[in-house]
Amino acid sequence: MESQRIFILVGLMLVSVLLYQEWQSMYGPQPVQTVASETVSSDAPATSDDVPQASHSAQSAVPSVNATSGSIITVESDVLRLKIDLAGGDIVETQLLAYPVEQGGDEPIQILHRNSHFEYIAQSGLIGNDGPDSKGRPSYQADGDSFVMNGDTLVVNLKHVTEAGITVVKRLTLTAGSYTVQQDIEVINTSSQNLVMQPFMQLKQTMEGESGSMMMPTYRGPAYSTEDERYSKYTFDDLSDKALNKTTQGGWVAMLQHYFVSAWVPAAASSNQLYTNNVRGSGIVGMKGEQLVIAAGETKSVTASFYAGPKDQETLSALSPTLNLTVDYGFLWWLAQPLHWLLTLVQGLVVNWGLAIIVVTIIIKTLLYPLTKKQYTSMARMKVLQPKMKALQERYAEDKQKLQQAMMEMYKKEKVNPLGGCLPLLLQMPIFIALYWVLLESVELRHAGFMLWITDLSVKDPYFVLPILMGASMFLMQKLSPTTVADPMQQKIMMLMPVFMTFLFVTFPSGLVLYWVVSNLISIAQQLMINRAIEAKKAAE
């Protein structure tokens, strides 16, 4: 099949799917919108059915007791502000102080939050025979209602004393410049009996809400890591169909969204059971740790890290070797990660993410020039053979088998590969798809300016200049490309393709469109060079 026909088929499939998705987003059923600016509801229920059942060896029959929300305290570092519900000691809101909702604004973005119609919280506690969370969420006490970091660290102790006189301390440690909260749950057994408990950590989020689309295919939902699965998404649909149940050493559980992630990361040497649950329209992903046996008069503690912040790969890798995979580059992650490294390296030199995109695109197109040259040279040679191909089609119009044999003999005689113009393109596509995902997923581009009217590379061009330039450059590329398409209908479709793509690209982040514009302009320059070389060679023959 001619390479132009392949382009048409692929392009039509892409356009059809994207147009359908856009129609759905405009006229289809709309998701419930989250309102992050609402205050935390003080009477939102925190029921014990949120809490997982303990493993068999640590479990006894306990009543299901409901507990209403308690007092809310605020804990603040230089980059992170938490709101904690003293009923259960749950983290019910996280504000990232260095990441405003709007560029240049003062209101920080909220990752976790809870209001009357949306809930996204982090929970933890102790279940089992003697675990206080198995009998309803325990009420913790704090030394105040507001804690602000004054130095390099901030330690906040939440204390709960059971009816049996057992003391449980949930200790939260925040560090300057870090979005990681270290949590230590300490049990002081002052009784005369041994205690059996099991720690749990989970993330709970309302399943209905905003998510990605075909135009911006970003993921919102649970993910996890085990010894055998370095990174796996477990969508809300998966969660509703079947509960996750895996045992692993170490691992982590997370909730993902565009640019940001929250995660529970236990000690790497600990044994954990990963699980999911569906409670009243909210999806839960969590993990239960090893059973704790606290002897009479003994004190034991269990440690885990909670992260709520940007998808910064270096930070995430330091917390867990696989947590950086939450920067989801899809199946081409192995290629996208080096491209992200290159983009970051170049940005450090040019100090502008827009210029970095241009430089990286130039580097990639230069490295791939031999393939590009082979592609257009092959297409030009196929165009020269077009009259002979047409003659063969007329001669063997009634015999398709002989036509195929005659064409293959002609290709062999002329030393032309009919797929020569397509194979180099297929080899280049993984690189450009990987770079597309790098630009889409990199939190560094959020609110990053370029120049002139492009003040934020993560949002669409407000004046649609870049999409128009992209469409115009794509049209010029088609004019310059040697074509063997003779069918008038196919020619019209090819000419309409830039128009379709222009309308689709108006909603894309300007950083992505900038990449395509620069790539097209370089391709045009390369085509002019190749075409002139081909013409000069013909003139010399």
Side-chain angles (χ1 to χ4, degrees), residues 110-186:
Q110 296 178 352
I111 305 303
L112 277 65
H113 58 279
R114 185 175 71 185
N115 53 52
S116 59
H117 56 270
F118 190 86
E119 185 177 43
Y120 178 10
I121 62 177
Q123 300 175 298
S124 61
L126 296 167
I127 52 179
N129 284 352
D130 305 296
D133 287 274
S134 290
K135 302 174 178 62
R137 304 311 306 282
S139 296
Y140 286 90
Q141 301 295 321
D143 293 335
D145 56 10
S146 180
F147 302 85
V148 180
M149 178 178 290
N150 184 17
D152 294 332
T153 60
L154 172 62
V155 179
V156 177
N157 291 313
L158 309 180
K159 185 177 180 181
H160 170 71
V161 180
T162 69
E163 295 178 357
I166 309 303
T167 300
V168 178
V169 178
K170 185 179 287 191
R171 182 173 297 112
L172 305 177
T173 303
L174 283 70
T175 305
S178 175
Y179 295 96
T180 302
V181 180
Q182 179 180 309
Q183 176 182 273
D184 298 281
I185 301 181
E186 183 180 75

Coordinates of all heavy atoms in Angstrom, one line a residue, residues 110-186:
Q110 N -5.2 22.7 45.8 CA -5.6 21.7 46.8 C -5.5 20.3 46.0 O -6.1 20.2 45.0 CB -6.9 21.9 47.3 CG -7.1 23.2 48.2 CD -8.5 23.3 48.7 OE1 -9.4 22.6 48.3 NE2 -8.7 24.3 49.5
I111 N -4.8 19.4 46.6 CA -4.8 18.0 46.1 C -5.9 17.2 46.8 O -6.9 16.9 46.3 CB -3.4 17.4 46.3 CG1 -2.4 18.2 45.6 CG2 -3.4 16.0 45.6 CD1 -2.6 18.5 44.2
L112 N -5.7 16.9 48.1 CA -6.7 16.3 48.9 C -7.7 17.4 49.4 O -7.2 18.5 49.7 CB -6.1 15.6 50.1 CG -5.6 14.2 49.9 CD1 -4.4 14.1 49.0 CD2 -5.2 13.6 51.3
H113 N -8.9 17.1 49.4 CA -9.9 18.1 50.0 C -11.2 17.3 50.2 O -11.5 16.3 49.6 CB -10.1 19.3 49.1 CG -10.6 19.0 47.7 ND1 -9.7 18.6 46.7 CD2 -11.8 19.0 47.1 CE1 -10.4 18.4 45.6 NE2 -11.7 18.6 45.8
R114 N -12.1 17.9 51.0 CA -13.4 17.3 51.3 C -14.4 18.4 51.4 O -14.2 19.4 52.1 CB -13.3 16.5 52.6 CG -14.5 15.7 53.0 CD -14.3 14.9 54.3 NE -14.2 15.7 55.5 CZ -13.8 15.3 56.7 NH1 -13.6 14.0 56.8 NH2 -13.8 16.1 57.7
N115 N -15.5 18.2 50.7 CA -16.6 19.1 50.8 C -17.9 18.3 50.7 O -17.9 17.1 50.8 CB -16.5 20.2 49.8 CG -16.4 19.7 48.4 OD1 -17.1 18.9 47.9 ND2 -15.3 20.2 47.7
S116 N -19.0 19.0 50.5 CA -20.3 18.3 50.5 C -20.6 17.3 49.4 O -21.4 16.4 49.5 CB -21.5 19.4 50.5 OG -21.4 20.2 49.3
H117 N -19.9 17.4 48.3 CA -20.1 16.5 47.1 C -18.9 15.9 46.6 O -18.9 15.2 45.6 CB -20.8 17.3 46.0 CG -20.1 18.5 45.5 ND1 -20.3 19.7 46.1 CD2 -19.1 18.6 44.6 CE1 -19.5 20.6 45.4 NE2 -18.8 20.0 44.5
F118 N -17.7 16.1 47.2 CA -16.5 15.4 46.7 C -15.6 15.2 47.9 O -15.4 16.1 48.8 CB -15.8 16.3 45.7 CG -14.6 15.6 45.0 CD1 -14.9 14.8 43.9 CD2 -13.3 15.7 45.5 CE1 -13.8 14.1 43.3 CE2 -12.3 15.0 44.8 CZ -12.5 14.3 43.7
E119 N -14.9 14.0 47.9 CA -14.0 13.7 49.0 C -12.8 13.0 48.5 O -12.9 12.1 47.6 CB -14.8 12.7 50.0 CG -13.9 12.4 51.2 CD -14.7 11.5 52.2 OE1 -15.4 10.6 51.7 OE2 -14.6 11.8 53.4
Y120 N -11.7 13.5 48.9 CA -10.4 12.9 48.5 C -9.5 13.1 49.8 O -9.0 14.2 50.1 CB -9.8 13.6 47.3 CG -8.5 13.2 46.8 CD1 -7.8 12.0 47.3 CD2 -7.8 13.9 45.9 CE1 -6.6 11.6 46.8 CE2 -6.6 13.6 45.4 CZ -6.0 12.4 45.9 OH -4.7 12.0 45.4
I121 N -9.3 12.0 50.5 CA -8.6 12.1 51.8 C -7.6 10.9 52.0 O -7.7 9.9 51.2 CB -9.6 12.1 53.0 CG1 -10.4 10.7 53.0 CG2 -10.6 13.3 52.9 CD1 -11.4 10.6 54.2
A122 N -6.7 11.1 52.9 CA -5.8 10.0 53.3 C -6.1 9.5 54.7 O -6.1 10.3 55.6 CB -4.3 10.5 53.2
Q123 N -6.2 8.2 54.9 CA -6.6 7.6 56.1 C -5.5 6.6 56.6 O -4.9 6.0 55.8 CB -8.0 7.0 56.1 CG -9.1 7.9 55.7 CD -10.4 7.1 55.5 OE1 -10.5 6.3 54.6 NE2 -11.4 7.5 56.3
S124 N -5.4 6.5 57.9 CA -4.5 5.5 58.4 C -5.0 5.2 59.9 O -5.7 5.9 60.5 CB -3.1 6.0 58.5 OG -3.0 7.2 59.2
G125 N -4.5 4.0 60.4 CA -4.8 3.7 61.7 C -4.4 2.3 62.1 O -3.6 1.7 61.4
L126 N -5.1 1.7 63.1 CA -4.8 0.4 63.6 C -6.1 -0.4 63.7 O -7.1 0.0 64.3 CB -4.1 0.5 65.0 CG -2.8 1.2 65.0 CD1 -2.3 1.5 66.5 CD2 -1.7 0.3 64.3
I127 N -6.1 -1.6 63.1 CA -7.2 -2.5 63.2 C -6.8 -3.8 63.8 O -5.7 -3.9 64.3 CB -7.8 -2.8 61.7 CG1 -6.7 -3.2 60.8 CG2 -8.5 -1.5 61.2 CD1 -7.1 -3.5 59.4
G128 N -7.7 -4.8 63.9 CA -7.4 -6.0 64.5 C -8.0 -6.2 65.9 O -8.9 -5.4 66.2
N129 N -7.7 -7.2 66.6 CA -8.3 -7.5 67.9 C -8.4 -6.3 68.8 O -9.4 -6.0 69.4 CB -7.6 -8.7 68.6 CG -7.9 -10.0 68.0 OD1 -8.7 -10.1 67.1 ND2 -7.1 -11.0 68.4
D130 N -7.3 -5.6 68.9 CA -7.2 -4.5 69.9 C -7.0 -3.2 69.2 O -6.7 -2.2 69.9 CB -6.0 -4.8 70.8 CG -6.1 -6.1 71.5 OD1 -7.1 -6.3 72.3 OD2 -5.3 -7.0 71.3
G131 N -7.1 -3.1 67.9 CA -6.9 -1.9 67.1 C -8.1 -0.9 67.4 O -9.3 -1.3 67.2
P132 N -7.8 0.3 67.7 CA -8.9 1.3 68.0 C -9.8 1.6 66.8 O -11.0 1.9 67.0 CB -8.1 2.5 68.5 CG -6.8 2.4 68.0 CD -6.5 0.9 67.9
D133 N -9.2 1.5 65.6 CA -10.0 1.8 64.4 C -11.0 0.7 64.1 O -11.9 0.9 63.2 CB -9.1 2.0 63.2 CG -8.4 3.3 63.3 OD1 -8.9 4.4 62.9 OD2 -7.3 3.3 63.8
S134 N -10.9 -0.5 64.7 CA -11.9 -1.6 64.4 C -13.2 -1.3 65.2 O -14.2 -2.0 64.9 CB -11.3 -2.9 64.8 OG -10.3 -3.3 63.9
K135 N -13.2 -0.4 66.1 CA -14.3 -0.2 67.0 C -14.9 1.2 66.7 O -15.7 1.7 67.5 CB -14.0 -0.3 68.4 CG -13.4 -1.6 68.8 CD -12.9 -1.6 70.3 CE -12.3 -3.0 70.7 NZ -11.2 -3.4 69.9
G136 N -14.6 1.8 65.5 CA -15.0 3.1 65.2 C -13.8 4.0 65.1 O -12.8 3.7 65.8
R137 N -13.8 5.1 64.4 CA -12.7 5.9 64.3 C -12.4 6.6 65.6 O -13.2 7.2 66.2 CB -12.9 7.0 63.2 CG -13.2 6.5 61.9 CD -12.3 5.4 61.4 NE -10.9 5.7 61.4 CZ -10.3 6.5 60.5 NH1 -10.9 7.0 59.5 NH2 -9.0 6.7 60.6
P138 N -11.1 6.5 66.1 CA -10.8 7.0 67.4 C -10.7 8.5 67.4 O -10.4 9.1 66.4 CB -9.5 6.4 67.7 CG -8.9 6.1 66.4 CD -10.0 5.7 65.5
S139 N -10.9 9.1 68.5 CA -10.8 10.6 68.7 C -9.4 10.9 69.2 O -9.1 10.5 70.3 CB -11.9 11.2 69.6 OG -13.2 10.9 69.0
Y140 N -8.7 11.7 68.4 CA -7.3 12.1 68.9 C -7.4 13.5 69.5 O -8.3 14.3 69.2 CB -6.4 12.1 67.7 CG -5.9 10.7 67.2 CD1 -6.7 10.0 66.2 CD2 -4.8 10.1 67.7 CE1 -6.3 8.8 65.8 CE2 -4.4 8.8 67.3 CZ -5.2 8.2 66.4 OH -4.8 6.9 65.9
Q141 N -6.4 13.7 70.3 CA -6.2 15.0 70.9 C -4.9 15.6 70.4 O -3.9 14.9 70.2 CB -6.2 14.9 72.4 CG -7.5 14.3 73.0 CD -8.7 15.2 72.8 OE1 -8.6 16.4 72.8 NE2 -9.8 14.6 72.5
A142 N -4.8 16.9 70.2 CA -3.6 17.6 69.9 C -3.4 18.8 70.8 O -4.3 19.2 71.6 CB -3.7 18.2 68.4
D143 N -2.1 19.3 70.9 CA -1.8 20.4 71.8 C -2.3 21.7 71.3 O -2.1 22.7 72.0 CB -0.3 20.4 72.0 CG 0.3 19.2 72.7 OD1 -0.5 18.6 73.4 OD2 1.5 18.9 72.5
G144 N -2.9 21.8 70.2 CA -3.4 23.1 69.6 C -4.2 22.8 68.4 O -4.4 21.7 68.0
D145 N -4.7 23.9 67.8 CA -5.5 23.7 66.5 C -4.7 24.2 65.3 O -5.2 24.2 64.2 CB -6.8 24.4 66.6 CG -6.7 25.8 67.0 OD1 -5.6 26.4 67.0 OD2 -7.8 26.4 67.3
S146 N -3.5 24.8 65.5 CA -2.7 25.3 64.4 C -1.2 25.2 64.7 O -0.8 25.6 65.8 CB -3.1 26.8 64.1 OG -2.3 27.3 63.0
F147 N -0.5 24.6 63.8 CA 0.9 24.4 64.0 C 1.7 24.9 62.7 O 1.3 24.5 61.6 CB 1.2 22.9 64.1 CG 0.5 22.3 65.3 CD1 -0.8 21.8 65.2 CD2 1.1 22.2 66.6 CE1 -1.5 21.2 66.3 CE2 0.5 21.6 67.6 CZ -0.9 21.1 67.5
V148 N 2.6 25.7 62.9 CA 3.4 26.3 61.8 C 4.9 26.0 62.0 O 5.4 26.2 63.1 CB 3.1 27.8 61.7 CG1 3.9 28.4 60.5 CG2 1.7 28.1 61.5
M149 N 5.5 25.6 60.9 CA 7.0 25.3 61.0 C 7.8 26.5 61.3 O 7.6 27.6 60.7 CB 7.4 24.6 59.7 CG 8.9 24.3 59.7 SD 9.4 23.5 58.1 CE 8.6 21.9 58.3
N150 N 8.7 26.4 62.2 CA 9.6 27.4 62.6 C 11.0 26.8 62.7 O 11.5 26.5 63.8 CB 9.2 28.1 63.9 CG 10.1 29.3 64.2 OD1 10.8 29.8 63.4 ND2 10.1 29.7 65.5
G151 N 11.6 26.5 61.6 CA 12.9 25.8 61.5 C 12.9 24.8 60.4 O 12.2 25.0 59.4
D152 N 13.7 23.8 60.5 CA 13.8 22.8 59.4 C 12.8 21.7 59.5 O 12.5 21.0 58.5 CB 15.2 22.2 59.4 CG 16.3 23.2 59.1 OD1 16.0 24.1 58.4 OD2 17.4 23.0 59.6
T153 N 12.2 21.4 60.7 CA 11.2 20.4 60.8 C 10.1 20.8 61.7 O 10.2 21.8 62.5 CB 11.8 19.1 61.5 OG1 12.4 19.4 62.7 CG2 12.9 18.5 60.6
L154 N 9.0 20.1 61.6 CA 7.8 20.3 62.5 C 7.2 19.0 62.8 O 6.9 18.2 62.0 CB 6.8 21.2 61.7 CG 5.4 21.3 62.4 CD1 5.5 22.1 63.7 CD2 4.4 22.1 61.5
V155 N 7.1 18.7 64.1 CA 6.6 17.5 64.6 C 5.2 17.7 65.4 O 5.2 18.6 66.2 CB 7.6 16.8 65.6 CG1 7.0 15.5 66.1 CG2 8.9 16.5 64.9
V156 N 4.2 17.0 65.0 CA 2.9 17.2 65.6 C 2.5 15.8 66.1 O 2.5 14.8 65.4 CB 1.9 17.7 64.5 CG1 0.5 17.8 65.2 CG2 2.3 19.1 64.0
N157 N 2.1 15.8 67.4 CA 1.7 14.5 68.0 C 0.2 14.5 68.2 O -0.4 15.5 68.8 CB 2.4 14.3 69.4 CG 3.8 14.0 69.2 OD1 4.2 13.2 68.4 ND2 4.7 14.8 70.0
L158 N -0.5 13.5 67.7 CA -1.9 13.3 67.9 C -2.0 12.1 68.9 O -1.5 11.0 68.6 CB -2.7 13.0 66.6 CG -2.4 14.0 65.5 CD1 -3.2 13.5 64.2 CD2 -2.8 15.4 65.8
K159 N -2.8 12.3 70.0 CA -2.8 11.3 71.0 C -4.2 10.8 71.3 O -5.2 11.6 71.3 CB -2.2 11.9 72.3 CG -2.1 10.9 73.5 CD -1.5 11.6 74.7 CE -1.3 10.7 75.9 NZ -0.7 11.4 77.1
H160 N -4.3 9.5 71.4 CA -5.6 8.8 71.7 C -5.4 7.8 72.8 O -4.4 7.0 72.8 CB -6.2 8.1 70.5 CG -7.3 7.2 70.8 ND1 -8.6 7.7 71.1 CD2 -7.5 5.9 70.8 CE1 -9.4 6.8 71.3 NE2 -8.8 5.6 71.2
V161 N -6.2 7.8 73.8 CA -6.2 6.8 74.9 C -7.4 6.0 74.9 O -8.6 6.5 74.9 CB -6.0 7.5 76.3 CG1 -6.0 6.5 77.4 CG2 -4.8 8.4 76.3
T162 N -7.3 4.7 74.8 CA -8.4 3.8 74.7 C -9.1 3.6 76.0 O -8.6 4.0 77.1 CB -8.0 2.4 74.2 OG1 -7.2 1.8 75.2 CG2 -7.2 2.5 72.9
E163 N -10.3 3.0 76.0 CA -11.0 2.7 77.3 C -10.2 1.8 78.2 O -10.3 1.9 79.4 CB -12.4 2.0 76.9 CG -13.3 3.0 76.2 CD -14.6 2.3 75.9 OE1 -14.7 1.1 76.2 OE2 -15.5 2.9 75.3
A164 N -9.3 1.0 77.6 CA -8.5 0.1 78.4 C -7.2 0.8 78.9 O -6.4 0.2 79.6 CB -8.1 -1.1 77.6
G165 N -7.1 2.1 78.6 CA -5.9 2.8 79.0 C -4.7 2.7 78.1 O -3.6 3.2 78.5
I166 N -4.9 2.2 76.9 CA -3.7 2.0 76.0 C -3.6 3.4 75.3 O -4.5 4.0 74.8 CB -4.0 0.9 75.0 CG1 -4.4 -0.4 75.7 CG2 -2.8 0.7 74.1 CD1 -3.4 -0.9 76.7
T167 N -2.3 3.8 75.2 CA -2.0 5.1 74.5 C -1.6 4.9 73.1 O -0.6 4.1 72.8 CB -1.0 5.9 75.3 OG1 -1.5 6.1 76.6 CG2 -0.7 7.2 74.6
V168 N -2.2 5.5 72.1 CA -1.8 5.5 70.7 C -1.4 6.9 70.3 O -2.2 7.9 70.5 CB -2.9 5.0 69.8 CG1 -2.5 5.0 68.4 CG2 -3.3 3.6 70.2
V169 N -0.2 7.1 69.8 CA 0.3 8.4 69.3 C 0.5 8.3 67.8 O 1.3 7.5 67.4 CB 1.6 8.8 70.1 CG1 2.1 10.1 69.5 CG2 1.3 8.8 71.6
K170 N -0.1 9.2 67.1 CA 0.1 9.3 65.7 C 1.0 10.5 65.5 O 0.5 11.7 65.7 CB -1.2 9.4 64.9 CG -1.0 9.4 63.4 CD -2.3 9.5 62.7 CE -3.1 8.2 62.7 NZ -4.3 8.3 61.8
R171 N 2.2 10.3 65.1 CA 3.2 11.4 65.1 C 3.5 11.8 63.6 O 3.9 10.9 62.8 CB 4.5 11.0 65.8 CG 5.6 12.1 65.8 CD 6.8 11.6 66.7 NE 6.4 11.5 68.1 CZ 6.3 10.3 68.7 NH1 6.6 9.2 68.0 NH2 5.9 10.2 69.9
L172 N 3.3 13.0 63.2 CA 3.5 13.5 61.9 C 4.7 14.4 61.9 O 4.8 15.4 62.7 CB 2.3 14.3 61.4 CG 0.9 13.5 61.4 CD1 -0.2 14.4 61.0 CD2 1.0 12.2 60.6
T173 N 5.7 14.2 61.0 CA 6.9 15.0 60.9 C 7.0 15.6 59.5 O 7.0 14.9 58.5 CB 8.1 14.1 61.2 OG1 8.0 13.5 62.5 CG2 9.4 15.0 61.1
L174 N 7.0 16.9 59.4 CA 7.1 17.6 58.2 C 8.6 18.2 58.1 O 9.1 18.7 59.1 CB 6.1 18.8 58.0 CG 4.7 18.4 57.7 CD1 4.0 17.6 58.8 CD2 3.9 19.6 57.3
T175 N 9.1 18.3 56.9 CA 10.5 18.8 56.7 C 10.4 19.9 55.7 O 9.6 19.9 54.7 CB 11.4 17.7 56.1 OG1 11.4 16.5 57.0 CG2 12.8 18.2 56.0
A176 N 11.2 20.9 55.9 CA 11.2 22.1 55.1 C 11.5 21.7 53.6 O 12.4 20.9 53.4 CB 12.3 23.1 55.6
G177 N 10.8 22.3 52.7 CA 11.0 22.1 51.3 C 10.5 20.8 50.8 O 10.7 20.4 49.6
S178 N 9.8 20.0 51.6 CA 9.4 18.6 51.2 C 7.9 18.5 51.3 O 7.2 19.0 52.2 CB 10.1 17.6 52.2 OG 9.6 16.3 51.9
Y179 N 7.4 17.7 50.3 CA 6.0 17.3 50.3 C 5.7 16.0 50.9 O 4.6 15.4 50.8 CB 5.5 17.4 48.8 CG 5.5 18.7 48.2 CD1 6.6 19.1 47.4 CD2 4.5 19.7 48.4 CE1 6.7 20.4 46.9 CE2 4.6 20.9 47.9 CZ 5.7 21.3 47.1 OH 5.8 22.5 46.6
T180 N 6.7 15.4 51.6 CA 6.6 14.1 52.2 C 6.3 14.3 53.7 O 7.1 15.1 54.4 CB 7.8 13.3 52.0 OG1 8.1 13.1 50.6 CG2 7.7 11.9 52.7
V181 N 5.4 13.6 54.2 CA 5.1 13.6 55.7 C 5.4 12.2 56.2 O 4.9 11.2 55.7 CB 3.6 13.9 55.9 CG1 3.3 13.9 57.4 CG2 3.2 15.3 55.3
Q182 N 6.3 12.2 57.2 CA 6.6 10.9 57.8 C 5.6 10.7 59.0 O 5.4 11.6 59.8 CB 8.0 10.9 58.4 CG 8.4 9.6 59.1 CD 9.8 9.6 59.7 OE1 10.7 9.9 59.0 NE2 9.9 9.3 61.0
Q183 N 5.0 9.5 58.9 CA 4.0 9.2 60.0 C 4.5 8.0 60.8 O 4.9 7.0 60.2 CB 2.7 8.8 59.3 CG 1.6 8.4 60.4 CD 0.3 8.0 59.7 OE1 -0.6 8.8 59.5 NE2 0.2 6.7 59.5
D184 N 4.5 8.2 62.1 CA 4.9 7.1 63.0 C 3.6 6.9 63.9 O 3.2 7.8 64.6 CB 6.1 7.5 63.9 CG 7.3 7.7 63.1 OD1 7.9 6.7 62.7 OD2 7.7 8.9 62.8
I185 N 3.1 5.7 64.0 CA 2.1 5.3 64.9 C 2.7 4.5 66.0 O 3.2 3.4 65.8 CB 0.9 4.5 64.2 CG1 0.3 5.4 63.0 CG2 -0.2 4.2 65.2 CD1 -0.8 4.7 62.3
E186 N 2.6 5.1 67.2 CA 3.3 4.4 68.4 C 2.2 3.9 69.3 O 1.2 4.7 69.6 CB 4.2 5.5 69.0 CG 4.9 4.9 70.2 CD 5.8 6.0 70.9 OE1 5.2 6.9 71.6 OE2 7.0 6.0 70.6

